[in-house]
Amino acid sequence: MWLGPEEVLLANALWVTERANPFFLLQRRRGHGKGGGLTGLLVGTLDVVLDSSARVAPYRILHQTQDLQIYWAVACGSSRKEITKHWEWLENNLLQTLSIFDNEDDITTFIKGKIHGIIAEENKNQQPLGEEDPGKFKEAELKMRKQFGMPEVEKLVNYYSCSYWKGRVPRQGWLYLTVNHLCFYSFLLGKEVTLIVQWVDVTQLEKNATLLFPECIKVSTRDSELYFSMFLNINETFKLMEQLANIAMRQLLDNEGFLEDKSLPKPSKPLKNISALKRDLDARAKNDWYRATFRLPKDERLDGHTDCTLWTPFNKMHIPGQMFVSNNYICFASKAEEACHLIIPLREVAVVEKADSSSVLPRPLSISTKSKMTFLFANLKDRDFLVQRISDFLQRTPSKKSDGSGRKWKGSFSDTGCEEFPELSSSSPPAVSPTSTLSNQLVPSFCTGDVPTASQGLLKLFRRNSEELLGPKGAKEKMKEESWNIHFFEYGRGMCMYRTTKTRELVLKGIPENLRGELWLLFSGAWNEMVTLPGYYAELVEKSMGKYSLATEEIERDLHRSMPEHPAFQNELGIAALRRVLTAYAFRNPTIGYCQAMNIVTSVLLLYCNEEEAFWILVALCERMLPDYYNSRVVGALVDQGIFEELTRDYLPQLSEKMQELGVISTISLSWFLTLFLSVMPFESAVVIVDCFFYEGIKLILQVSLAILDANMEKLLNCCDEGEAMTVLGRYLDNVVNRQSISPPIPHLHALLTSGDEPPLEIDIFELIKTSYEKFSNLRADDIEQMRFKQRLKVIQSLEDTAKRSVVRAISGDIGFSMEQLEELYVVFKAKHLTSCYWGSSRTAAAHRDQSLPYLEQYRIDLEQFRELFASLTLWSCGLHTPVLAGRMFRLLDENRDSLINFKEFVTGMSGMYHGDLTEKLKLLYKLHLPPALISEEAESALEATSYFTEDISTEEAATQEDRGGRNGDSKEKEEKGTSPQDYRYYLRMWAKEKYSKKETIKDLPKMNQEQFIELCKTLYNMFSEDPVEQELYHAIATVASLLLRIGEVGKKFSNRPMKKTDDCKANNTDAESEEESPTSEHSQNSAVEQQPQADPEDRASGDIQAGKNHQEKQTPGDGDGGEGAGSPIQLPSDDETKDDMSMSSYSMVSTGSLQCEDIADDTVLVGCEASSSAARYGSTIDTDWSISFEQILASMLTETALVNYFEKKVDIGLKIKEQKKVERQFSSSSDYDLSSSVSG
C-alpha cells in the first residue's frame, strides 16, 4: 500500500536492500523470507512481540536523496507480489520524469506530491461508505488477512497481545478475533505458531486460573484445548470471545449469520484501535441487557444512558440510578438492585421540560404523561443534549389515535387520552382489569367482524358458582385486591408504575384473579407490543384461517388435550379460541411453528386474558422470556436444564451426584420448565408460580426447582432407580396446594401417587415459594445469562454431534466408507455449507438451514461449493477439466433437480470413485457422459458451432427438463420440497421409492453416441495427466478408443436405423431412469449435432481439415480390415507396430503429449469413419448413427492392464480430507514465505 512519505534516518538498520535505482530502494525486513541468520530471527521475534509488524510491513520502498543521508518511505507491502507491483509502477511512470529535474529538492517535492495524490485517489475509490476504522486497525486487519489467508469479507473485530501456552512454554504473539474465526500468530526465534479456530467449532470457553497457568482463557474444541494468557484486559477479551461464539451458535441453531449494523451512530470523536464491528458488538450487548431488564420489544435499541436521581413520591426520596433512553422508551434503574424500576413509553409522554435548578435539586428534568403522572429526574450531566434527544424521539413517535375498525378497547381510554389503567383510591370498589372493560364493549356474541373471539378471560365466562366467594377465601381475595388498589394509588398503574420491592412482595403473596390478566400483560412487556400493533392479531387470524401445515395438524391433535378437565375447554368456544391463538402464532413465527407444551401454557393464558392479550403474552414467552424453548429441538429448555444441573452441583452437592447417577434431572426439568409447572402441579398452585415467573423471569423457576429437590433430599438419596425418584417427586408435586384459591379445585388428571396407608402430606404453594427465596435468592439474572451462554455452547454442539451420528448411521450401510471416514466427510461437508453462510456472495438456498427438515436434509451445498469439495477430494483430478467433471457429477447426484445436494448424495458420488470395483467405477464414469450429467455441456463439445445452434440446445435442455419433470410426477412434488419442507408425506414417498427401487444393472444403461464417447475420451486423457505411468495409460486408452470406434462402425453395418431405434426403446423401457434419456433427448441432441459440420469448416484452419482428411484416408483401410467383429481385437498389435509412423491415429499422437485436450474432439471423430460416408469429407463430422454400449467399453478396457490397474488401485480418502481441512480457509496466499501451522483449526 502507498504511504504518506515519512522520513527514515537509518535505511539499512534491520532491512536488506533487494533492488535499487538512482531514486528508489526496494527493501525486505530481516527475518522475513529466506535466510536472515540470527539477526533475522531476532528481528522477526521483536516484530511479533512488539507489534512492529502491525506498523512495519515486511517490504518497503524508499525514495533516496542524492546525499544518501535522508530517505523517505513511500510504500510498504505484505508480500513480494504487492511491493513489486508498486516498484514497477514507479519505474514505468516516474523514472523518466525524474531524470528531467535538476534540483534535488524539486525531485523530493514532486515525489511526495505524486504519492499523496495516489493515496487520495485510492481512498476516494476504495474507501467504503461510512468506513470508520482507525488507520492502525486497518493495517492489523490487512496483516491478519495475509497471515491467515482470509478473504476480504472476513472482518477483524479486535486483536490483542497475549501468550499461547504450547505445553508448558508460553509463546508471545497476537490473537486476532474475527467474526467467524479465532486466529493466533507467534514467531519466536525461528519457531512459528499459527492457529485458526472457527467459532462454530468451539465447545467451551472458560476464564480461569490454575497452578499451571496464570489467569487465562481456555478455548476448547472437539480436538484440542488452547490456553491464552497475559492479556492487558482479560475481561474485555473474554467478553468479546463470548459474543462471537454466541453469534456462531445462533448460526448453527437458526442460521442467523452476523449482519453488521449499518445504522450504528458514529462516535463524536475518533476512537483509537476500536473497530466499527467492536462498537457494533458492544452496542448489541447493551441492547440485549436493556431489553431483558425492562422487558421491551426485541427491535428496541438503546440510544444512551446517564447517571441521575429520581424523585420517588411514595417514600419522598431521591433515588440514585441510571436513566436509559431509546427510540420509544425512557427507563430508570436504581443502583440499589430492585429499589426502583420505571418504564415510561414515549407514546404516553405529554410534556418534557427543564425545571429550575437549585442546590437541592441540580439540573432537574420533569416528564409528564397523559395520565397526569409526573416524574422528576435530577443531577443530569448533559441535560440540554438529553432533552434534545428525547424531543427528537417524541417527534418520530406516532400520536395515538382511536382506531374505528372494531378496536373498541382503545376507546375505553380515549377520555383520559391515555392507555393507563384508571387509578383507584383505597376506598374504590375492586379494580376492573382491561379484560373486563373489553367485555363490556364487545358484542355479546364475542364477534369481531365475522370471526368469533373470546373477548374476555374464559374463567369469567365459565366460573362455576362457588361458595368460596362468600367464605374466608373470598374475604382473603378481596383483601388482596384492596392491597393492589392501594399499591396502584401510591405507585401508579399501568406501564408507568414504579416497580419496587413492595411490588414483588405483593406478587409473591399471589395476584388476585381479577387482576391476573392485566398484570401478566404488564410484567411480561406484552402490553407494549399489543398497544403499538393494534389489529395485528386480527389480521393474523384472518390470514391463517383455512391454511394447512404440519403445525396446524399438530395443533388440531393437541387441542383437546389442553386442560380437558377445565369446563372452559370442554366446549367449542374455548377450543376455538385456543386454536386461533396457536395457529396465529405458528403463522407469525414459522421457525417455531408449534411445539407441544405451548397448548398448555396458552390455555392457561386464555383463562385470564382475552385472545389478543393471550397471543401477545405467548409472543413474549416464546421470543423473549423463554428464548428457544419451543423450537423443534427445545434448545432453550435443554440450556436451562444444564443450568439447573450446575446449580444443583453448587447448592445441593450431596444430591447432585445421586441425581446424575439416577438420570432424573433430564427427565424432570423439561416437563417443569416447558410448561412452567402447569402440567405437573394442581392448576391453582401452578398458576401462582406463573404469577411470580412473569415478574421475576426464569430465576423463579430455577429457585422453585431447587427448593423441590431440597425438600425431597432424604427420600431421593434413598432411591434405587429413576422410577422410584420420579414417584417421589410426582407425589410431592401432586400435593402442592393453594389454600387461598377461590376457584373450585379442578379435577386433577395426574395420578395421585400414594405409598402405603399414609395420607399424603400437603405443601402450601406460598410456603414453597417463600422457602425458595430464603434458600436460593442469591441467584442473579446476569449470572443466569452467563451460565446460559456456557450451556448453549455445550447443548448446541451436543445436538450437532447427535445430528452427525444420526446421518452417518442412516447411510453407513449403503456406502463403502468406514464410520470414521463418514464422520470426517460430514465435518468437511458441513464446514463448506457454513462457509457459504458467511463468505458466500449471496445467501443462496444452500445457506438456509431448515431445522424442521430431517437431519440429512439440513445441510446442503450448491454447485459452486460442490466443485470446490470435488476438486480437493476427487480421485479423478482432470486439471482444468475438473470443474466440468464436477458439474456433471453434481447433476448426476442431484436427483430431485433442486440444484442442491445433501450429504448422502455427496457421499454416494465419492464412494463410487473410491470404493467401487472396476465395473462400478467405469459405470459411474460412463453415466457422467450421458444425460442428465452431460446435458448442459452439449454446446461445449462442439464449441465452434455454438452460435449456430443455440436454439437447438436450449430446446434440448427444456425438453429434457420437461421429460424429467414428467417422471417426477409433475412439479407438485418439487414444490412440496421447496416451499413446504414440513410436509412429511414427501419424505415418505422418497423413502418408499428408495426402499423399493430396482437395482440397476449394466444392461439398463443406454447406449452412448459418438459425441458423448468423445467427451468420455477427453475426460480420460485429462485424468491420466501427471500420473506416474502417464505414457502407458495414454497408449492404452488410444488403443481402446480406436478399437471402440471400429466396434461402433461394425454395429452400424449389422443394424439399420429403424431397427436401432426399436432396440433402444426396448432397452430404455427396462428402467424408469433411462426412460427420460431416450428418444426425445437423444433425438434433439443428434439434431443439434447434425448442424455442426456447417460451422466447423468456417472456424477451423484449412491445414487442420487437410490433416483430418489424411488421417481419415490412412485409417479407413484399418477399419475395413477390422470390420469382422471377432477380428477386431486382433488388429490391436498393428497400432503398436505403426506407432512411429505418420499415419498413426490421433489418439496415439495425444499419447506422446504433443496435443492439447481441446484438439481431441476435432480429430478423433475422423478415426474409424467410413470412406464411403458422405459427411466425412467435411472434417470433424459427428456420426449420428454411431453408438456403443457400456458392455463393449468394459470389455475393451479389460484388455489393457494399465487401465485395469489404474481403476483398481485403492486410495485412502483420509489423506485428501486432511489436505482439505488444511486449505479450507486459505483463500489467498499469506506471503511469499510459508506458514507452518503447528496447530490446525
Side-chain angles (χ1 to χ4, degrees), residues 652-939:
L652 308 169
Q654 303 161 277
L655 188 58
S656 172
E657 208 172 304
K658 183 70 175 179
M659 296 294 277
Q660 289 296 331
E661 182 191 318
L662 297 175
V664 173
I665 286 187
S666 58
T667 312
I668 58 174
S669 52
L670 277 183
S671 58
W672 293 4
F673 297 168
L674 277 170
T675 64
L676 306 176
F677 287 97
L678 288 164
S679 63
V680 293
M681 263 188 201
F683 166 73
E684 54 275 7
S685 303
V687 83
V688 176
I689 289 182
V690 176
D691 291 342
C692 302
F693 165 75
F694 280 123
Y695 189 80
E696 292 279 31
I698 192 63
K699 166 189 165 182
L700 183 277
I701 301 293
L702 292 167
Q703 277 181 197
V704 171
S705 301
L706 287 169
I708 292 168
L709 291 189
D710 185 50
N712 291 279
M713 187 184 293
E714 284 185 27
K715 292 179 183 175
L716 289 170
L717 287 172
N718 294 324
C719 289
C720 303
D721 56 34
E722 183 188 357
E724 192 178 344
M726 292 298 292
T727 304
V728 167
L729 292 170
R731 183 176 183 229
Y732 179 87
L733 289 168
D734 273 344
N735 291 290
V736 175
V737 297
N738 179 1
R739 297 192 179 98
Q740 297 176 15
S741 173
I742 58 167
S743 298
I746 295 168
H748 208 245
L749 289 192
H750 318 117
L752 213 57
L753 301 159
T754 56
S755 58
D757 300 325
E758 293 178 28
L761 183 67
E762 289 188 343
I763 303 97
D764 186 74
I765 182 63
F766 295 102
E767 282 299 316
L768 176 63
I769 290 173
K770 184 182 173 187
T771 305
S772 79
Y773 272 94
E774 287 171 354
K775 292 190 174 181
F776 310 108
S777 62
N778 53 352
L779 280 179
R780 292 178 66 252
D782 290 348
D783 295 337
I784 290 172
E785 279 309 309
Q786 185 71 27
M787 293 165 82
R788 270 181 168 172
F789 162 73
K790 182 180 168 185
Q791 293 297 332
R792 194 177 293 121
L793 276 181
K794 196 183 290 184
V795 166
I796 292 178
Q797 296 293 17
S798 171
L799 289 170
E800 290 295 307
D801 289 341
T802 303
K804 178 172 73 175
R805 287 193 295 272
S806 300
V807 169
V808 167
R809 272 201 304 269
I811 64 178
S812 57
D814 311 327
I815 307 293
F817 294 116
S818 67
M819 296 284 273
E820 291 75 21
Q821 288 173 330
L822 281 173
E823 286 189 359
E824 287 182 350
L825 280 170
Y826 181 85
V827 170
V828 170
F829 185 86
K830 173 180 155 186
K832 186 58 68 179
H833 167 92
L834 291 172
T835 304
S836 73
C837 294
Y838 52 73
W839 282 353
S841 54
S842 62
R843 290 189 163 254
T844 59
H848 293 290
R849 180 189 183 197
D850 189 341
Q851 298 278 359
S852 63
L853 291 174
Y855 284 136
L856 190 59
E857 292 286 335
Q858 285 185 12
Y859 291 120
R860 295 182 293 173
I861 58 174
D862 61 19
L863 176 58
E864 283 310 307
Q865 295 153 2
F866 178 77
R867 276 190 175 134
E868 291 166 16
L869 278 182
F870 184 86
S872 56
L873 297 176
T874 183
L875 269 179
W876 299 339
S877 184
C878 300
L880 296 174
H881 193 63
T882 304
V884 177
L885 192 65
R888 292 174 186 166
M889 177 73 88
F890 184 85
R891 284 186 293 278
L892 183 68
L893 297 174
D894 183 19
E895 293 179 2
N896 57 3
R897 300 288 169 266
D898 62 353
S899 300
L900 297 169
I901 62 169
N902 62 31
F903 181 64
K904 182 175 182 179
E905 291 165 337
F906 169 73
V907 172
T908 303
M910 291 294 114
S911 181
M913 283 189 286
Y914 278 90
H915 293 294
D917 57 15
L918 172 73
T919 307
E920 290 299 316
K921 288 180 181 175
L922 284 177
K923 194 202 293 186
L924 177 60
L925 205 54
Y926 184 84
K927 281 183 178 178
L928 290 177
H929 296 83
L930 292 173
L934 194 67
I935 203 156
S936 65
E937 312 290 341
E938 294 298 336

Side-chain angles (χ1 to χ4, degrees), residues 87 143 228 318 375 448 612 617 640 720 750 787 839 844 896 930 932 947 1034 1048 1074 1134:
W87 179 263
K143 179 192 166 195
F228 301 94
H318 290 283
F375 302 97
T448 303
E612 185 176 25
I617 296 176
D640 286 348
C720 303
H750 318 117
M787 293 165 82
W839 282 353
T844 59
N896 57 3
L930 292 173
S947 58
Y1034 279 153
S1074 351
S1134 64

Side-chain angles (χ1 to χ4, degrees), residues 609-624:
C609 312
N610 70 29
E611 275 184 43
E612 185 176 25
E613 293 164 347
F615 170 79
W616 284 115
I617 296 176
L618 182 65
V619 168
L621 270 176
C622 296
E623 296 172 17
R624 293 199 309 275

Side-chain angles (χ1 to χ4, degrees), residues 168-218:
R168 297 193 175 190
V169 183
R171 302 289 183 134
Q172 185 65 25
W174 289 86
L175 180 72
Y176 297 88
L177 304 181
T178 73
V179 173
N180 302 296
H181 297 89
L182 175 153
C183 307
F184 177 83
Y185 179 72
S186 169
F187 179 86
L188 287 177
L189 300 176
K191 292 194 176 177
E192 199 171 39
V193 176
T194 304
L195 301 174
I196 301 176
V197 177
Q198 287 190 30
W199 289 117
V200 289
D201 292 335
V202 172
T203 56
Q204 195 174 13
L205 267 181
E206 280 185 303
K207 185 177 66 173
N208 53 25
T210 63
L211 290 174
L212 182 60
F213 301 114
E215 191 176 28
C216 67
I217 294 174
K218 175 183 167 189

